[in-house]
Amino acid sequence: MCAFRSGEKPRVLVADDEKTIADTLKLILTGAGYDVRVVYNGIAAVEKAVEWSPDLLLSDVYMPGLSGIDAAIQVCEHLPHCRVLLISGQADLQELRREIQSKCRRFDVFPKPVHPTELLERMQAMLSQADGQP
């Protein structure tokens, strides 16, 4: 597994307004060796990211207040190194991808529910990419 700070586990910030999903993701990711923090809305995601500097933001797309897309954009403005993986229960992921591209961003989107093995594989691949890669 890739660690960006010598001797430290990769940091993952989970943002989901469904507490059960967020807390379950924390258990899965912690068990896989990640240092994980959880927040339950987009505004808190931006605040925690600026304070904690995660390597990856794993966020639900649709949250009240600030969407996961807009939170991710703000996080990346503060932390250009931070990778973003969005999850959504929306059936039409193509439309969601178009919305993300219209905001000039390339964020991966996985459907909910996401299988833990697929999620962990994608996260590891993202964290293994050299800085500056999409």
Side-chain angles (χ1 to χ4, degrees):
M1 186 179 301
C2 169
F4 291 166
R5 293 165 207 82
S6 180
E8 290 186 24
K9 299 175 184 178
R11 294 177 175 191
V12 178
L13 177 59
V14 174
D16 198 313
D17 60 318
E18 294 183 53
K19 290 184 81 166
T20 303
I21 292 174
D23 294 342
T24 300
L25 287 169
K26 180 180 181 177
L27 288 173
I28 292 167
L29 300 177
T30 300
Y34 292 97
D35 185 2
V36 182
R37 300 292 184 274
V38 174
V39 295
Y40 304 107
N41 63 66
I43 294 168
V46 175
E47 292 170 352
K48 179 57 84 175
V50 170
E51 168 195 322
W52 189 55
S53 191
D55 300 307
L56 186 139
L57 170 63
L58 175 61
S59 179
D60 184 22
V61 170
Y62 296 106
M63 296 184 285
L66 187 65
S67 77
I69 296 169
D70 293 329
I73 289 169
Q74 289 185 31
V75 167
C76 289
E77 287 172 357
H78 292 283
L79 305 166
H81 75 277
C82 188
R83 306 284 186 221
V84 175
L85 181 57
L86 300 171
I87 54 176
S88 176
Q90 180 175 328
D92 188 356
L93 288 184
Q94 291 297 63
E95 179 60 31
L96 184 56
R97 287 183 177 109
R98 281 191 289 276
E99 178 183 345
I100 292 167
Q101 288 174 349
S102 76
K103 295 184 178 194
C104 302
R105 299 293 177 176
R106 291 184 55 197
F107 300 143
D108 278 351
V109 182
F110 264 70
K112 277 186 185 180
V114 59
H115 191 280
T117 302
E118 290 178 54
L119 177 64
L120 292 170
E121 287 173 358
R122 184 61 193 135
M123 287 175 54
Q124 185 169 354
M126 291 175 78
L127 290 168
S128 296
Q129 293 174 336
D131 282 335
Q133 299 291 316

